[in-house]
Amino acid sequence: MAFLELAHLDKSFGANHVVKDFNLSIDKGEFVSLLGPSGCGKTTVLRMVGGFEDPTAGTISIDGQDVTRLKSNQRKIGMVFQSYALFPNLTVAQNVAFGLKVAGIDKKETADRVKEMLTLIGLGDLGARYPFQLSGGQQQRVALARALAVRPKVLLLDEPLSALDAKIRASLRREIRAIQQRLGITTIFVTHDQEEALSMSDRVVVMTQGRADQIGTPFEIYNTPATRFVAGFVGTLNTFDATLTDPATGTVRMGDTQVVLNRQVKAAAGTPVALAMRPESATLGAGQPGDVTLTGRITEVQFLGAIIRITADLGRQSLTLDTFNRSETPPPAVGSEVTISLPHSGMVVLAG
Amino acid sequence: MTRFAAWAAIISGCLYFLMPMIGMTEFSLSMRRGVYSLDAYRVVMADPQFQATFAYSLIMALLTIVFGVLLVVPTAYWVQLKMPRMRPVVEFVTLLPLVIPAIVVVFGYIRLYNTSGWLPLTGSVTGTNLLLMFGYATLALPYMYRAVDTGLRSIDVATLTEAAQSLGAGWFRIMATLILPNVLSAVLSGAFLTLAIVIGEFTMAALLDRPAFGPYMQILGANRAYEPAALAVIAFAITWACMGLIQMVSRLSKHKRA
Ligand SMILES: Nc1ncnc2c1ncn2[C@@H]1O[C@H](COP(=O)(O)OP(=O)(O)OP(=O)(O)O)[C@@H](O)[C@H]1O
Ligand SMILES: [Mg+2]
């Protein structure tokens, strides 16, 4: 049995069915992100784990113990909020010590633990400040230290970086992940930012309308999205209309071209499907023998630094492709005719 | 022209408030013929009745404040946390004491809690004191509730509560170590208003026949000339001191931006 187990969780607010049959098993020390658009129920799932909402149905167990009916102050969880939620009347050190005081830990050990935590988050000398004297990034670090000080079994973070500006967000993201790995603490991280989810997590849960659409490693989620929603929500994607001709070998007809993926597809022959491809899988030029080749006219070139994003008009639709920047080959000019090749390995069939 | 009109309005307003006060103060200092003196104050201060009634009212005020804080802070907190939609209703209820005259309230009390009622509070001195304290708390309720509610609105009550709960804290600890300290300046301003109300209150104390400061002022006023003026000045001074203290404490809290 997994360390943290959510089984058949359901939650309705009145007639509003917000979370539907949500299942998730998280191993000890794992970092799992809940990723999805606004209103899909991420926060609600997290709050049910934290004990702030009662599930309408289903169970939650932590470390083999069923905690579904336990109050949040008995669950041994650490929570970090988007709005920091530091206690304004307490100093930084007192904030971090709060949970330890509640737990009845003696003064000496509390002081040691506070010091250890403040060092961990790199704010060792700000213990005497009040929250209003800190920047947003510093406040969120203190909130993290406060949650971790009591050595919770599970750490829950609800969009902790959303209120911060881009630079701090990126650095704090790495810092949170590093601390999480150092302490080996089981973590659920809620975000609607795919970059955040993909870069930090061991596994990502992509949610829509209260359901988990796909659960997998960032690599799996990105490269083999299970549904159209996941494919569209995570990253940029080119899709082509196609028809499935042979499910066993994964043969698909796209216009006049036959594409054999050599992968089984779970759908009946004759089903209209979408053939999807990431921009970085397509290449300019002839490519390998067997690749699907298309011709098009370049309509846009975006120079993004390491990557150049090219948009081409294929006649019936447009296609986005990414190439690495190389100093010896300048990007093609807008308006030029090019050949584009699509390797079979980069294609995914989306039936759902 | 408009500037002149504005100044004229301010000056006439000030005169309207200041003239009676200046007159009263002047009168309170004129007990000895021909010279100003503090004789009236000396007489008042030396009166054992003054000391007794003032002490009584002061103690009643403190009890009222404690009771009011214990009643209002958890109530306002709970309303804000668990039933924000009920807030207008609760606010309306807390404003009722401003609309219902004290005399109506106290007659209601006497009818309900008389010696032949189901809870004969007026039958004993302690019971009557208790009743008076409840009455005072009712009178102070609008001010106390407003102050505390405003204080609570300035913090994110729901999230702070959840943060504390996730750290293992129970209700009592949350109230005592987080909510109360964060609304302390609001509570104190409510407390000083309560003090000012209770010290000057006449109707309830008189009808319940308790030896409070309000009825004493009235008796003195009916029988003496200079002393009541001195007493009124003293009462004013107390009220103003309370207002000053409200200002001070709201500036003193360390964890707020200056
Ligand atoms: N206390 C509540 N009462 C009624 N409806 C609620 C409550 N909390 C959330 N909801 C509804 O549940 C749905 C999911 O909300 P939730 O906060 O879980 O979304 P989310 O995925 O966290 O979105 P966001 O990215 O915007 O934070 C929303 O439609 C919301 O309106
Ligand atoms: Mg949310």
Side-chain angles (χ1 to χ4, degrees):
Chain A
M1 187 156 170
F3 186 74
L4 174 61
E5 190 91 43
L6 313 184
H8 307 293
L9 273 190
D10 242 72
K11 177 70 185 177
S12 301
F13 292 106
N16 190 3
H17 200 172
V18 172
V19 175
K20 298 159 193 162
D21 193 29
F22 190 88
N23 296 285
L24 180 63
S25 304
I26 302 179
D27 287 330
K28 197 169 165 82
E30 209 179 356
F31 189 115
V32 173
S33 289
L34 305 184
L35 174 66
S38 186
C40 70
K42 308 178 294 286
T43 297
T44 308
V45 169
L46 196 77
R47 289 173 58 82
M48 287 194 282
V49 178
F52 302 116
E53 296 298 347
D54 288 326
T56 314
T59 56
I60 300 164
S61 65
I62 299 175
D63 201 4
Q65 185 194 9
D66 184 346
V67 300
T68 317
R69 300 275 152 242
L70 281 190
K71 289 201 167 73
S72 57
N73 57 8
Q74 297 161 336
R75 289 194 185 189
K76 298 209 167 61
I77 44 127
M79 183 103 186
V80 175
F81 301 84
Q82 183 177 347
S83 59
Y84 323 134
L86 294 181
F87 307 130
N89 58 315
L90 304 181
T91 63
V92 166
Q94 288 168 335
N95 263 282
V96 177
F98 186 87
L100 302 169
K101 220 164 146 189
V102 174
I105 289 169
D106 69 65
K107 277 212 173 87
K108 168 90 178 55
E109 199 185 335
T110 301
D112 290 347
R113 195 92 69 86
V114 168
K115 200 159 164 236
E116 176 195 332
M117 284 298 143
L118 290 180
T119 313
L120 185 71
I121 56 161
L123 296 179
D125 43 358
L126 297 188
R129 293 236 187 132
Y130 281 94
F132 79 86
Q133 295 165 317
L134 300 181
S135 73
Q138 291 172 328
Q139 288 191 51
Q140 196 59 296
R141 275 178 230 225
V142 175
L144 183 68
R146 180 180 68 177
L148 290 172
V150 291
R151 311 233 158 103
K153 290 182 171 173
V154 179
L155 179 65
L156 307 174
L157 305 113
D158 191 356
E159 308 211 14
L161 307 175
S162 299
L164 302 169
D165 65 56
K167 245 206 183 112
I168 308 234
R169 208 174 335 170
S171 70
L172 199 49
R173 175 162 100 193
R174 296 221 303 275
E175 214 170 306
I176 290 177
R177 175 61 165 160
I179 289 172
Q180 183 270 334
Q181 283 177 322
R182 183 155 3 139
L183 301 180
I185 185 167
T186 313
T187 302
I188 306 183
F189 184 96
V190 163
T191 179
H192 59 250
D193 180 338
Q194 44 159 317
E195 203 180 301
E196 237 167 68
L198 295 176
S199 66
M200 297 174 83
S201 319
D202 293 313
R203 280 191 300 153
V204 177
V205 180
V206 183
M207 289 183 68
T208 141
Q209 298 179 355
R211 275 181 227 283
D213 247 34
Q214 185 174 6
I215 303 177
T217 63
F219 187 80
E220 288 163 0
I221 296 280
Y222 189 79
N223 290 306
T224 48
T227 66
R228 252 177 234 257
F229 174 79
V230 175
F233 189 73
V234 180
T236 314
L237 201 73
N238 297 297
T239 55
F240 303 94
D241 291 330
T243 313
L244 188 63
T245 49
D246 183 6
T249 57
T251 308
V252 169
R253 171 163 293 284
M254 183 180 126
D256 319 323
T257 356
Q258 182 104 330
V259 181
V260 185
L261 298 176
N262 289 320
R263 249 177 281 137
Q264 200 190 343
V265 178
K266 290 192 194 94
T271 324
V273 292
L275 206 55
M277 162 160 275
R278 296 286 178 200
E280 65 270 24
S281 295
T283 51
L284 279 179
Q288 306 293 318
D291 287 0
V292 178
T293 50
L294 304 163
T295 53
R297 204 166 48 79
I298 292 186
T299 54
E300 193 185 3
V301 176
Q302 290 179 68
F303 188 77
L304 304 174
I307 286 174
I308 302 167
R309 173 156 291 187
I310 297 166
T311 313
D313 181 12
L314 301 179
R316 262 185 308 160
Q317 68 178 110
S318 68
L319 176 138
T320 308
L321 79 90
D322 289 349
T323 62
F324 280 115
N325 170 47
R326 276 181 227 289
S327 51
E328 66 274 12
T329 43
V334 171
S336 57
E337 296 281 338
V338 289
T339 306
I340 296 163
S341 49
L342 314 172
H344 294 182
S345 60
M347 294 190 190
V348 184
V349 172
L350 300 171
Chain B
M1 182 60 213
T2 48
R3 173 167 291 214
F4 175 76
W7 277 110
I10 289 173
I11 288 168
S12 59
C14 285
L15 285 179
Y16 182 81
F17 284 108
L18 285 179
M19 289 301 279
M21 259 189 271
I22 293 170
M24 187 173 68
T25 312
E26 201 266 352
F27 186 66
S28 74
L29 294 172
S30 327
M31 196 172 186
R32 200 177 296 179
R33 191 157 306 202
V35 286
Y36 286 137
S37 71
L38 292 172
D39 281 9
Y41 293 87
R42 217 165 286 133
V43 173
V44 167
M45 298 286 198
D47 185 356
Q49 277 283 88
F50 167 80
Q51 291 159 11
T53 55
F54 193 75
Y56 176 86
S57 284
L58 208 57
I59 291 167
M60 287 303 283
L62 290 180
L63 292 176
T64 308
I65 287 164
V66 172
F67 176 73
V69 169
L70 291 181
L71 177 74
V72 166
V73 175
T75 308
Y77 171 64
W78 203 251
V79 168
Q80 200 154 114
L81 192 65
K82 298 282 177 177
M83 33 188 190
R85 268 175 305 171
M86 288 291 284
R87 185 196 260 150
V89 178
V90 176
E91 215 158 84
F92 176 75
V93 170
T94 61
L95 286 180
L96 282 180
L98 290 183
V99 188
I100 301 174
I103 193 157
V104 175
V105 174
V106 76
F107 267 117
Y109 278 178
I110 292 170
R111 275 198 65 107
L112 210 58
Y113 300 111
N114 66 23
T115 41
S116 55
W118 58 278
L119 187 61
L121 278 179
T122 55
S124 68
V125 171
T126 321
T128 315
N129 284 339
L130 203 62
L131 202 54
L132 183 59
M133 193 266 282
F134 289 149
Y136 285 158
T138 311
L139 290 183
L141 190 62
Y143 308 99
M144 194 57 133
Y145 190 86
R146 286 266 144 162
V148 170
D149 195 46
T150 312
L152 281 175
R153 268 187 232 202
S154 68
I155 55 173
D156 184 352
V157 171
T159 315
L160 289 184
T161 302
E162 287 180 356
Q165 282 177 324
S166 74
L167 292 166
W171 290 116
F172 182 77
R173 185 183 293 268
I174 294 175
M175 285 300 307
T177 63
L178 296 179
I179 302 304
L180 205 53
N182 276 304
V183 295
L184 196 63
S185 57
V187 164
L188 283 176
S189 71
F192 289 127
L193 280 170
T194 307
L195 183 70
I197 291 169
V198 170
I199 294 292
E201 208 283 334
F202 169 75
T203 318
M204 288 193 166
L207 285 170
L208 287 173
D209 196 24
R210 298 309 305 144
F213 191 58
Y216 168 74
M217 279 202 285
Q218 190 272 335
I219 291 168
L220 203 67
N223 299 310
R224 301 292 193 88
Y226 299 100
E227 290 88 337
L231 213 49
V233 171
I234 292 172
F236 254 116
I238 292 168
T239 314
W240 284 59
C242 286
M243 297 297 167
L245 283 176
I246 293 177
Q247 289 298 319
M248 252 178 51
V249 294
S250 53
R251 269 177 217 177
L252 232 65
S253 24
K254 235 187 344 199
H255 61 268
K256 299 256 170 64
R257 245 170 251 273

